[in-house]
Amino acid sequence: MMMIEICLFFFLHTGLVESRVEEELNALLARGNSHREVLENSYTPETLHHIALMEKKAATEVIITDSKQNIIISSSKIDKEEKKIVSKKIKNVPRDGEILEKQWRKEKYISTISPYSVNRQQNGYVYMFKNTDHVQSLISSLTRHFLFAAAITIILLIITILFLSKALTTPLIQMKRATEKLSKGDFSVQLPDRGDDELGELSRSITVLAQDLKHLKEERNEFLSSISHELRTPLTYIKGYADVARRKDIEEKDRDHYLNIIYEESDKLSAMMKDLFDLAKIDRNAFIINRTKVQLCSYVKTIHEKMLPAFKEKEMQLEIECNENIHGLIDPIRFEQVFFNLLDNAIKYSDPYTKTRIFVKEKDGDVLIKVEDEGHGIPEEDLPFIFERLYRVDKSRSRDLGGTGLGLSIVKELIEAHQGRIEVKSELGKGSTFLIWIKEAAE
Ligand code: ADP
């Protein structure tokens, strides 16, 4: 900006000086031409004398010569410089005159010449002179004004730049400090609201990031404490029963019973470990989902076949209702786990002789899969949380049934990895319905 200002001032100054000098030269030439007019009207000694007298009083000087450049009259004493100009060889001077000397910086005079012609004998030249001291003092006062204006502009520019850079850097420094705090694990970051510009957006993003990180940290701590709690129960059982089974004075039958309990508890532990491992894999995005076009009806039929024995064992029914033409974009291997977890829950949380149905429908360009049971249902207050990790409605009952509290969170993560979504509707004592939306495969 400073460079631009300096260039602008320079060009403006040069332009003004040139036009001012041009004006002076034109005025001088016009004055010479007007003397010429007077001379041509009445060429008398009185007129010559009168012109010289007029110029004596003015800031300009005049020298009138004949056609051979011999001086007839002058308004003041002729000095060396004037003599030099008058003795310069001239040729074909136009009637409107011309500028003889315009070097106002170097020379003592600027000067013009206007030819006059009265008759054959009486013609010659009117030389006009103006001392360049006058022009120079005009220009130097102009330069002084310019320098003053430039100095004020530069001071204002410096103040503005300082103010602007402070206004820009202060929030950036605050944000830098905030991110340093974040990286040290301190999430209590508060940045002032800075409006709707880019800095404001950045500052809001950092505040949101801090809140998200805080939430994540709390969630992780909560998850770790729930995990350790979950692991403690089966481990306490295992330890307790192993202690009793070790004793020599117990009967073989009781030892078998205790060993069975130990076996069951370790089974639950390893099921939980598997679920946790799956979740960790989905979280790390180490889970590759290979979505392909799958004919959903026949796919659900194979699931039906696989799960039917488990339903029969509990005297329950499993039915499917689907349209042959529906194709979904799914990873058939991963999606099996979704059905397995939902149907396993339907078995766990329903009474014998009830029915579970799977519907596959097309809805608004998406595929809707419904898994509907006639089980115990889920209390309304628990519905928002059942997809959370380790959340169980009835802890001891779910544990006894072999639940880990991770099944539905795995289902949700898997469906989200398929870019789908899941919802639940449930009525206590009547049953639950899980609704899954996934993308329909194009024809
Ligand atoms: P769990 O391993 O305990 O079954 P889930 O994550 O699969 O864990 O389910 C979370 C909780 O939601 C369960 O503890 C259970 O109380 C409830 N739930 C899930 N599915 C059903 C269902 N079909 N009917 C009734 N309750 C259900």
Side-chain angles (χ1 to χ4, degrees), residues 370-403:
K370 271 206 283 183
V371 178
E372 193 179 276
D373 65 38
E374 296 170 350
H376 309 152
I378 304 163
E380 210 181 324
E381 64 270 21
D382 291 302
L383 278 178
F385 310 109
I386 59 163
F387 293 106
E388 281 181 11
R389 291 168 189 198
L390 297 169
Y391 190 85
R392 291 184 288 203
V393 176
D394 183 343
K395 279 204 185 314
S396 62
R397 187 149 164 214
S398 155
R399 246 189 65 75
D400 291 345
L401 292 166

PDB file of all heavy atoms in Angstrom, residues 370-403:
ATOM      1  N   LYS A 370     -38.270 -54.409   8.370  1.00  0.00           N
ATOM      2  CA  LYS A 370     -38.872 -54.326   9.708  1.00  0.00           C
ATOM      3  C   LYS A 370     -38.690 -55.662  10.412  1.00  0.00           C
ATOM      4  O   LYS A 370     -38.943 -56.715   9.833  1.00  0.00           O
ATOM      5  CB  LYS A 370     -40.371 -54.060   9.587  1.00  0.00           C
ATOM      6  CG  LYS A 370     -40.715 -52.597   9.542  1.00  0.00           C
ATOM      7  CD  LYS A 370     -42.118 -52.340  10.059  1.00  0.00           C
ATOM      8  CE  LYS A 370     -43.183 -52.706   9.058  1.00  0.00           C
ATOM      9  NZ  LYS A 370     -44.531 -52.366   9.566  1.00  0.00           N
ATOM     10  N   VAL A 371     -38.241 -55.624  11.667  1.00  0.00           N
ATOM     11  CA  VAL A 371     -38.177 -56.853  12.474  1.00  0.00           C
ATOM     12  C   VAL A 371     -39.117 -56.619  13.651  1.00  0.00           C
ATOM     13  O   VAL A 371     -38.883 -55.751  14.489  1.00  0.00           O
ATOM     14  CB  VAL A 371     -36.738 -57.131  12.952  1.00  0.00           C
ATOM     15  CG1 VAL A 371     -36.704 -58.385  13.824  1.00  0.00           C
ATOM     16  CG2 VAL A 371     -35.795 -57.276  11.771  1.00  0.00           C
ATOM     17  N   GLU A 372     -40.209 -57.373  13.645  1.00  0.00           N
ATOM     18  CA  GLU A 372     -41.290 -57.081  14.587  1.00  0.00           C
ATOM     19  C   GLU A 372     -41.526 -58.289  15.485  1.00  0.00           C
ATOM     20  O   GLU A 372     -41.693 -59.399  14.983  1.00  0.00           O
ATOM     21  CB  GLU A 372     -42.538 -56.793  13.746  1.00  0.00           C
ATOM     22  CG  GLU A 372     -43.679 -56.171  14.477  1.00  0.00           C
ATOM     23  CD  GLU A 372     -44.834 -55.929  13.508  1.00  0.00           C
ATOM     24  OE1 GLU A 372     -44.832 -54.895  12.823  1.00  0.00           O
ATOM     25  OE2 GLU A 372     -45.713 -56.804  13.412  1.00  0.00           O
ATOM     26  N   ASP A 373     -41.491 -58.088  16.807  1.00  0.00           N
ATOM     27  CA  ASP A 373     -41.760 -59.239  17.696  1.00  0.00           C
ATOM     28  C   ASP A 373     -42.962 -58.953  18.587  1.00  0.00           C
ATOM     29  O   ASP A 373     -43.460 -57.827  18.642  1.00  0.00           O
ATOM     30  CB  ASP A 373     -40.501 -59.590  18.508  1.00  0.00           C
ATOM     31  CG  ASP A 373     -40.100 -58.510  19.470  1.00  0.00           C
ATOM     32  OD1 ASP A 373     -40.990 -57.889  20.074  1.00  0.00           O
ATOM     33  OD2 ASP A 373     -38.870 -58.262  19.625  1.00  0.00           O
ATOM     34  N   GLU A 374     -43.411 -60.009  19.255  1.00  0.00           N
ATOM     35  CA  GLU A 374     -44.555 -59.846  20.167  1.00  0.00           C
ATOM     36  C   GLU A 374     -44.058 -60.067  21.582  1.00  0.00           C
ATOM     37  O   GLU A 374     -44.691 -60.711  22.400  1.00  0.00           O
ATOM     38  CB  GLU A 374     -45.647 -60.876  19.812  1.00  0.00           C
ATOM     39  CG  GLU A 374     -46.233 -60.659  18.436  1.00  0.00           C
ATOM     40  CD  GLU A 374     -47.126 -61.813  17.975  1.00  0.00           C
ATOM     41  OE1 GLU A 374     -47.135 -62.873  18.648  1.00  0.00           O
ATOM     42  OE2 GLU A 374     -47.789 -61.664  16.953  1.00  0.00           O
ATOM     43  N   GLY A 375     -42.860 -59.517  21.844  1.00  0.00           N
ATOM     44  CA  GLY A 375     -42.202 -59.788  23.131  1.00  0.00           C
ATOM     45  C   GLY A 375     -42.608 -58.838  24.240  1.00  0.00           C
ATOM     46  O   GLY A 375     -43.677 -58.230  24.206  1.00  0.00           O
ATOM     47  N   HIS A 376     -41.673 -58.673  25.204  1.00  0.00           N
ATOM     48  CA  HIS A 376     -42.003 -57.900  26.412  1.00  0.00           C
ATOM     49  C   HIS A 376     -42.070 -56.403  26.156  1.00  0.00           C
ATOM     50  O   HIS A 376     -42.654 -55.680  26.941  1.00  0.00           O
ATOM     51  CB  HIS A 376     -40.942 -58.156  27.495  1.00  0.00           C
ATOM     52  CG  HIS A 376     -40.696 -59.616  27.722  1.00  0.00           C
ATOM     53  ND1 HIS A 376     -39.491 -60.121  28.161  1.00  0.00           N
ATOM     54  CD2 HIS A 376     -41.508 -60.702  27.555  1.00  0.00           C
ATOM     55  CE1 HIS A 376     -39.563 -61.428  28.250  1.00  0.00           C
ATOM     56  NE2 HIS A 376     -40.782 -61.808  27.885  1.00  0.00           N
ATOM     57  N   GLY A 377     -41.446 -55.960  25.099  1.00  0.00           N
ATOM     58  CA  GLY A 377     -41.419 -54.520  24.801  1.00  0.00           C
ATOM     59  C   GLY A 377     -40.361 -53.798  25.633  1.00  0.00           C
ATOM     60  O   GLY A 377     -39.758 -54.375  26.542  1.00  0.00           O
ATOM     61  N   ILE A 378     -40.168 -52.528  25.288  1.00  0.00           N
ATOM     62  CA  ILE A 378     -39.134 -51.738  25.974  1.00  0.00           C
ATOM     63  C   ILE A 378     -39.817 -50.510  26.585  1.00  0.00           C
ATOM     64  O   ILE A 378     -40.593 -49.833  25.895  1.00  0.00           O
ATOM     65  CB  ILE A 378     -38.044 -51.284  24.974  1.00  0.00           C
ATOM     66  CG1 ILE A 378     -37.461 -52.502  24.257  1.00  0.00           C
ATOM     67  CG2 ILE A 378     -36.948 -50.480  25.650  1.00  0.00           C
ATOM     68  CD1 ILE A 378     -36.706 -52.192  22.995  1.00  0.00           C
ATOM     69  N   PRO A 379     -39.566 -50.213  27.864  1.00  0.00           N
ATOM     70  CA  PRO A 379     -40.186 -49.026  28.463  1.00  0.00           C
ATOM     71  C   PRO A 379     -39.821 -47.767  27.677  1.00  0.00           C
ATOM     72  O   PRO A 379     -38.685 -47.639  27.189  1.00  0.00           O
ATOM     73  CB  PRO A 379     -39.583 -48.964  29.862  1.00  0.00           C
ATOM     74  CG  PRO A 379     -39.022 -50.307  30.110  1.00  0.00           C
ATOM     75  CD  PRO A 379     -38.691 -50.912  28.792  1.00  0.00           C
ATOM     76  N   GLU A 380     -40.790 -46.831  27.580  1.00  0.00           N
ATOM     77  CA  GLU A 380     -40.591 -45.634  26.746  1.00  0.00           C
ATOM     78  C   GLU A 380     -39.356 -44.845  27.168  1.00  0.00           C
ATOM     79  O   GLU A 380     -38.618 -44.336  26.322  1.00  0.00           O
ATOM     80  CB  GLU A 380     -41.834 -44.761  26.846  1.00  0.00           C
ATOM     81  CG  GLU A 380     -42.041 -43.981  25.579  1.00  0.00           C
ATOM     82  CD  GLU A 380     -43.247 -43.093  25.673  1.00  0.00           C
ATOM     83  OE1 GLU A 380     -44.245 -43.495  26.299  1.00  0.00           O
ATOM     84  OE2 GLU A 380     -43.150 -41.978  25.118  1.00  0.00           O
ATOM     85  N   GLU A 381     -39.128 -44.777  28.490  1.00  0.00           N
ATOM     86  CA  GLU A 381     -38.000 -43.953  28.971  1.00  0.00           C
ATOM     87  C   GLU A 381     -36.642 -44.559  28.598  1.00  0.00           C
ATOM     88  O   GLU A 381     -35.626 -43.865  28.597  1.00  0.00           O
ATOM     89  CB  GLU A 381     -38.092 -43.686  30.482  1.00  0.00           C
ATOM     90  CG  GLU A 381     -37.999 -44.909  31.381  1.00  0.00           C
ATOM     91  CD  GLU A 381     -39.361 -45.542  31.665  1.00  0.00           C
ATOM     92  OE1 GLU A 381     -40.316 -45.304  30.885  1.00  0.00           O
ATOM     93  OE2 GLU A 381     -39.461 -46.301  32.642  1.00  0.00           O
ATOM     94  N   ASP A 382     -36.639 -45.879  28.273  1.00  0.00           N
ATOM     95  CA  ASP A 382     -35.364 -46.504  27.901  1.00  0.00           C
ATOM     96  C   ASP A 382     -35.094 -46.443  26.397  1.00  0.00           C
ATOM     97  O   ASP A 382     -33.951 -46.625  25.964  1.00  0.00           O
ATOM     98  CB  ASP A 382     -35.357 -47.980  28.331  1.00  0.00           C
ATOM     99  CG  ASP A 382     -35.312 -48.105  29.834  1.00  0.00           C
ATOM    100  OD1 ASP A 382     -34.374 -47.577  30.427  1.00  0.00           O
ATOM    101  OD2 ASP A 382     -36.245 -48.709  30.410  1.00  0.00           O
ATOM    102  N   LEU A 383     -36.179 -46.188  25.625  1.00  0.00           N
ATOM    103  CA  LEU A 383     -36.036 -46.243  24.163  1.00  0.00           C
ATOM    104  C   LEU A 383     -34.889 -45.388  23.596  1.00  0.00           C
ATOM    105  O   LEU A 383     -34.148 -45.855  22.733  1.00  0.00           O
ATOM    106  CB  LEU A 383     -37.354 -45.857  23.487  1.00  0.00           C
ATOM    107  CG  LEU A 383     -38.388 -46.973  23.392  1.00  0.00           C
ATOM    108  CD1 LEU A 383     -39.665 -46.469  22.746  1.00  0.00           C
ATOM    109  CD2 LEU A 383     -37.856 -48.160  22.590  1.00  0.00           C
ATOM    110  N   PRO A 384     -34.711 -44.137  24.094  1.00  0.00           N
ATOM    111  CA  PRO A 384     -33.628 -43.338  23.478  1.00  0.00           C
ATOM    112  C   PRO A 384     -32.222 -43.879  23.727  1.00  0.00           C
ATOM    113  O   PRO A 384     -31.284 -43.469  23.059  1.00  0.00           O
ATOM    114  CB  PRO A 384     -33.777 -41.961  24.160  1.00  0.00           C
ATOM    115  CG  PRO A 384     -35.101 -41.970  24.815  1.00  0.00           C
ATOM    116  CD  PRO A 384     -35.451 -43.372  25.109  1.00  0.00           C
ATOM    117  N   PHE A 385     -32.097 -44.792  24.698  1.00  0.00           N
ATOM    118  CA  PHE A 385     -30.737 -45.202  25.075  1.00  0.00           C
ATOM    119  C   PHE A 385     -30.355 -46.606  24.624  1.00  0.00           C
ATOM    120  O   PHE A 385     -29.211 -47.007  24.784  1.00  0.00           O
ATOM    121  CB  PHE A 385     -30.562 -45.129  26.604  1.00  0.00           C
ATOM    122  CG  PHE A 385     -31.014 -43.821  27.177  1.00  0.00           C
ATOM    123  CD1 PHE A 385     -32.166 -43.732  27.946  1.00  0.00           C
ATOM    124  CD2 PHE A 385     -30.293 -42.675  26.915  1.00  0.00           C
ATOM    125  CE1 PHE A 385     -32.589 -42.512  28.434  1.00  0.00           C
ATOM    126  CE2 PHE A 385     -30.710 -41.451  27.413  1.00  0.00           C
ATOM    127  CZ  PHE A 385     -31.860 -41.364  28.177  1.00  0.00           C
ATOM    128  N   ILE A 386     -31.304 -47.371  24.091  1.00  0.00           N
ATOM    129  CA  ILE A 386     -30.979 -48.787  23.887  1.00  0.00           C
ATOM    130  C   ILE A 386     -29.881 -49.038  22.848  1.00  0.00           C
ATOM    131  O   ILE A 386     -29.305 -50.116  22.822  1.00  0.00           O
ATOM    132  CB  ILE A 386     -32.221 -49.658  23.554  1.00  0.00           C
ATOM    133  CG1 ILE A 386     -32.885 -49.142  22.310  1.00  0.00           C
ATOM    134  CG2 ILE A 386     -33.177 -49.761  24.710  1.00  0.00           C
ATOM    135  CD1 ILE A 386     -33.820 -50.176  21.741  1.00  0.00           C
ATOM    136  N   PHE A 387     -29.584 -48.008  22.005  1.00  0.00           N
ATOM    137  CA  PHE A 387     -28.502 -48.212  21.032  1.00  0.00           C
ATOM    138  C   PHE A 387     -27.141 -47.827  21.618  1.00  0.00           C
ATOM    139  O   PHE A 387     -26.124 -47.904  20.945  1.00  0.00           O
ATOM    140  CB  PHE A 387     -28.759 -47.401  19.756  1.00  0.00           C
ATOM    141  CG  PHE A 387     -29.949 -47.902  18.982  1.00  0.00           C
ATOM    142  CD1 PHE A 387     -31.145 -47.206  18.979  1.00  0.00           C
ATOM    143  CD2 PHE A 387     -29.875 -49.088  18.264  1.00  0.00           C
ATOM    144  CE1 PHE A 387     -32.234 -47.672  18.276  1.00  0.00           C
ATOM    145  CE2 PHE A 387     -30.963 -49.567  17.558  1.00  0.00           C
ATOM    146  CZ  PHE A 387     -32.160 -48.858  17.569  1.00  0.00           C
ATOM    147  N   GLU A 388     -27.138 -47.355  22.874  1.00  0.00           N
ATOM    148  CA  GLU A 388     -25.857 -46.974  23.488  1.00  0.00           C
ATOM    149  C   GLU A 388     -25.104 -48.212  23.956  1.00  0.00           C
ATOM    150  O   GLU A 388     -25.719 -49.218  24.310  1.00  0.00           O
ATOM    151  CB  GLU A 388     -26.104 -46.066  24.696  1.00  0.00           C
ATOM    152  CG  GLU A 388     -26.390 -44.652  24.244  1.00  0.00           C
ATOM    153  CD  GLU A 388     -26.626 -43.715  25.398  1.00  0.00           C
ATOM    154  OE1 GLU A 388     -26.357 -44.106  26.558  1.00  0.00           O
ATOM    155  OE2 GLU A 388     -27.090 -42.599  25.118  1.00  0.00           O
ATOM    156  N   ARG A 389     -23.792 -48.076  23.989  1.00  0.00           N
ATOM    157  CA  ARG A 389     -22.977 -49.223  24.391  1.00  0.00           C
ATOM    158  C   ARG A 389     -23.220 -49.600  25.849  1.00  0.00           C
ATOM    159  O   ARG A 389     -23.278 -48.722  26.706  1.00  0.00           O
ATOM    160  CB  ARG A 389     -21.496 -48.884  24.213  1.00  0.00           C
ATOM    161  CG  ARG A 389     -21.175 -48.774  22.768  1.00  0.00           C
ATOM    162  CD  ARG A 389     -19.860 -48.194  22.522  1.00  0.00           C
ATOM    163  NE  ARG A 389     -19.786 -47.951  21.085  1.00  0.00           N
ATOM    164  CZ  ARG A 389     -18.682 -47.759  20.419  1.00  0.00           C
ATOM    165  NH1 ARG A 389     -17.534 -47.772  21.061  1.00  0.00           N
ATOM    166  NH2 ARG A 389     -18.706 -47.559  19.137  1.00  0.00           N
ATOM    167  N   LEU A 390     -23.370 -50.879  26.093  1.00  0.00           N
ATOM    168  CA  LEU A 390     -23.533 -51.456  27.420  1.00  0.00           C
ATOM    169  C   LEU A 390     -24.831 -51.060  28.117  1.00  0.00           C
ATOM    170  O   LEU A 390     -24.978 -51.242  29.301  1.00  0.00           O
ATOM    171  CB  LEU A 390     -22.331 -51.085  28.317  1.00  0.00           C
ATOM    172  CG  LEU A 390     -20.985 -51.624  27.828  1.00  0.00           C
ATOM    173  CD1 LEU A 390     -19.848 -51.000  28.607  1.00  0.00           C
ATOM    174  CD2 LEU A 390     -20.927 -53.132  27.955  1.00  0.00           C
ATOM    175  N   TYR A 391     -25.779 -50.481  27.336  1.00  0.00           N
ATOM    176  CA  TYR A 391     -27.048 -50.100  27.952  1.00  0.00           C
ATOM    177  C   TYR A 391     -27.997 -51.297  27.929  1.00  0.00           C
ATOM    178  O   TYR A 391     -28.228 -51.911  26.897  1.00  0.00           O
ATOM    179  CB  TYR A 391     -27.683 -48.922  27.210  1.00  0.00           C
ATOM    180  CG  TYR A 391     -28.863 -48.361  27.965  1.00  0.00           C
ATOM    181  CD1 TYR A 391     -28.680 -47.411  28.963  1.00  0.00           C
ATOM    182  CD2 TYR A 391     -30.154 -48.819  27.713  1.00  0.00           C
ATOM    183  CE1 TYR A 391     -29.758 -46.915  29.682  1.00  0.00           C
ATOM    184  CE2 TYR A 391     -31.240 -48.335  28.434  1.00  0.00           C
ATOM    185  CZ  TYR A 391     -31.032 -47.381  29.414  1.00  0.00           C
ATOM    186  OH  TYR A 391     -32.097 -46.915  30.135  1.00  0.00           O
ATOM    187  N   ARG A 392     -28.512 -51.625  29.119  1.00  0.00           N
ATOM    188  CA  ARG A 392     -29.477 -52.728  29.198  1.00  0.00           C
ATOM    189  C   ARG A 392     -30.658 -52.290  30.034  1.00  0.00           C
ATOM    190  O   ARG A 392     -30.477 -51.607  31.039  1.00  0.00           O
ATOM    191  CB  ARG A 392     -28.812 -53.963  29.790  1.00  0.00           C
ATOM    192  CG  ARG A 392     -27.784 -54.517  28.821  1.00  0.00           C
ATOM    193  CD  ARG A 392     -27.160 -55.772  29.277  1.00  0.00           C
ATOM    194  NE  ARG A 392     -26.246 -55.561  30.381  1.00  0.00           N
ATOM    195  CZ  ARG A 392     -25.271 -56.389  30.670  1.00  0.00           C
ATOM    196  NH1 ARG A 392     -25.100 -57.472  29.963  1.00  0.00           N
ATOM    197  NH2 ARG A 392     -24.481 -56.166  31.678  1.00  0.00           N
ATOM    198  N   VAL A 393     -31.857 -52.679  29.603  1.00  0.00           N
ATOM    199  CA  VAL A 393     -33.043 -52.222  30.337  1.00  0.00           C
ATOM    200  C   VAL A 393     -33.085 -52.902  31.703  1.00  0.00           C
ATOM    201  O   VAL A 393     -33.150 -52.247  32.735  1.00  0.00           O
ATOM    202  CB  VAL A 393     -34.330 -52.518  29.531  1.00  0.00           C
ATOM    203  CG1 VAL A 393     -35.554 -52.128  30.332  1.00  0.00           C
ATOM    204  CG2 VAL A 393     -34.282 -51.779  28.204  1.00  0.00           C
ATOM    205  N   ASP A 394     -32.993 -54.204  31.693  1.00  0.00           N
ATOM    206  CA  ASP A 394     -33.005 -54.936  32.962  1.00  0.00           C
ATOM    207  C   ASP A 394     -31.672 -55.665  33.053  1.00  0.00           C
ATOM    208  O   ASP A 394     -31.486 -56.724  32.448  1.00  0.00           O
ATOM    209  CB  ASP A 394     -34.202 -55.913  32.945  1.00  0.00           C
ATOM    210  CG  ASP A 394     -34.328 -56.666  34.252  1.00  0.00           C
ATOM    211  OD1 ASP A 394     -33.330 -56.680  35.013  1.00  0.00           O
ATOM    212  OD2 ASP A 394     -35.411 -57.228  34.504  1.00  0.00           O
ATOM    213  N   LYS A 395     -30.766 -55.087  33.806  1.00  0.00           N
ATOM    214  CA  LYS A 395     -29.379 -55.568  33.783  1.00  0.00           C
ATOM    215  C   LYS A 395     -29.244 -57.041  34.112  1.00  0.00           C
ATOM    216  O   LYS A 395     -28.692 -57.829  33.353  1.00  0.00           O
ATOM    217  CB  LYS A 395     -28.530 -54.751  34.772  1.00  0.00           C
ATOM    218  CG  LYS A 395     -28.099 -53.442  34.185  1.00  0.00           C
ATOM    219  CD  LYS A 395     -26.862 -52.942  34.862  1.00  0.00           C
ATOM    220  CE  LYS A 395     -26.469 -51.562  34.373  1.00  0.00           C
ATOM    221  NZ  LYS A 395     -26.479 -51.341  32.969  1.00  0.00           N
ATOM    222  N   SER A 396     -29.826 -57.462  35.264  1.00  0.00           N
ATOM    223  CA  SER A 396     -29.564 -58.829  35.692  1.00  0.00           C
ATOM    224  C   SER A 396     -30.231 -59.828  34.749  1.00  0.00           C
ATOM    225  O   SER A 396     -29.662 -60.854  34.409  1.00  0.00           O
ATOM    226  CB  SER A 396     -30.029 -59.024  37.129  1.00  0.00           C
ATOM    227  OG  SER A 396     -31.403 -58.808  37.174  1.00  0.00           O
ATOM    228  N   ARG A 397     -31.453 -59.433  34.259  1.00  0.00           N
ATOM    229  CA  ARG A 397     -32.170 -60.347  33.382  1.00  0.00           C
ATOM    230  C   ARG A 397     -31.410 -60.534  32.060  1.00  0.00           C
ATOM    231  O   ARG A 397     -31.238 -61.653  31.578  1.00  0.00           O
ATOM    232  CB  ARG A 397     -33.549 -59.760  33.104  1.00  0.00           C
ATOM    233  CG  ARG A 397     -34.414 -60.701  32.350  1.00  0.00           C
ATOM    234  CD  ARG A 397     -35.827 -60.469  32.742  1.00  0.00           C
ATOM    235  NE  ARG A 397     -36.709 -61.070  31.781  1.00  0.00           N
ATOM    236  CZ  ARG A 397     -37.866 -60.562  31.466  1.00  0.00           C
ATOM    237  NH1 ARG A 397     -38.264 -59.449  32.018  1.00  0.00           N
ATOM    238  NH2 ARG A 397     -38.639 -61.185  30.617  1.00  0.00           N
ATOM    239  N   SER A 398     -30.946 -59.406  31.531  1.00  0.00           N
ATOM    240  CA  SER A 398     -30.223 -59.485  30.262  1.00  0.00           C
ATOM    241  C   SER A 398     -28.954 -60.319  30.418  1.00  0.00           C
ATOM    242  O   SER A 398     -28.601 -61.118  29.561  1.00  0.00           O
ATOM    243  CB  SER A 398     -29.898 -58.065  29.790  1.00  0.00           C
ATOM    244  OG  SER A 398     -28.794 -58.080  28.960  1.00  0.00           O
ATOM    245  N   ARG A 399     -28.275 -60.115  31.575  1.00  0.00           N
ATOM    246  CA  ARG A 399     -27.047 -60.882  31.828  1.00  0.00           C
ATOM    247  C   ARG A 399     -27.353 -62.377  31.871  1.00  0.00           C
ATOM    248  O   ARG A 399     -26.663 -63.190  31.284  1.00  0.00           O
ATOM    249  CB  ARG A 399     -26.447 -60.434  33.168  1.00  0.00           C
ATOM    250  CG  ARG A 399     -25.101 -59.742  33.016  1.00  0.00           C
ATOM    251  CD  ARG A 399     -24.476 -59.538  34.371  1.00  0.00           C
ATOM    252  NE  ARG A 399     -24.168 -60.838  34.993  1.00  0.00           N
ATOM    253  CZ  ARG A 399     -23.164 -61.605  34.633  1.00  0.00           C
ATOM    254  NH1 ARG A 399     -22.353 -61.227  33.671  1.00  0.00           N
ATOM    255  NH2 ARG A 399     -22.949 -62.751  35.226  1.00  0.00           N
ATOM    256  N   ASP A 400     -28.448 -62.708  32.586  1.00  0.00           N
ATOM    257  CA  ASP A 400     -28.805 -64.130  32.708  1.00  0.00           C
ATOM    258  C   ASP A 400     -29.099 -64.721  31.341  1.00  0.00           C
ATOM    259  O   ASP A 400     -28.849 -65.902  31.089  1.00  0.00           O
ATOM    260  CB  ASP A 400     -30.041 -64.283  33.606  1.00  0.00           C
ATOM    261  CG  ASP A 400     -29.691 -63.939  35.049  1.00  0.00           C
ATOM    262  OD1 ASP A 400     -28.470 -63.873  35.344  1.00  0.00           O
ATOM    263  OD2 ASP A 400     -30.610 -63.703  35.854  1.00  0.00           O
ATOM    264  N   LEU A 401     -29.659 -63.859  30.446  1.00  0.00           N
ATOM    265  CA  LEU A 401     -29.999 -64.371  29.107  1.00  0.00           C
ATOM    266  C   LEU A 401     -28.792 -64.356  28.172  1.00  0.00           C
ATOM    267  O   LEU A 401     -28.903 -64.663  26.997  1.00  0.00           O
ATOM    268  CB  LEU A 401     -31.115 -63.511  28.506  1.00  0.00           C
ATOM    269  CG  LEU A 401     -32.466 -63.621  29.199  1.00  0.00           C
ATOM    270  CD1 LEU A 401     -33.387 -62.493  28.759  1.00  0.00           C
ATOM    271  CD2 LEU A 401     -33.122 -64.960  28.871  1.00  0.00           C
ATOM    272  N   GLY A 402     -27.667 -63.964  28.700  1.00  0.00           N
ATOM    273  CA  GLY A 402     -26.438 -63.967  27.893  1.00  0.00           C
ATOM    274  C   GLY A 402     -26.215 -62.672  27.134  1.00  0.00           C
ATOM    275  O   GLY A 402     -25.424 -62.602  26.207  1.00  0.00           O
ATOM    276  N   GLY A 403     -26.935 -61.600  27.524  1.00  0.00           N
ATOM    277  CA  GLY A 403     -26.787 -60.316  26.813  1.00  0.00           C
ATOM    278  C   GLY A 403     -25.550 -59.560  27.285  1.00  0.00           C
ATOM    279  O   GLY A 403     -25.134 -59.685  28.432  1.00  0.00           O
TER     280      GLY A 403
END
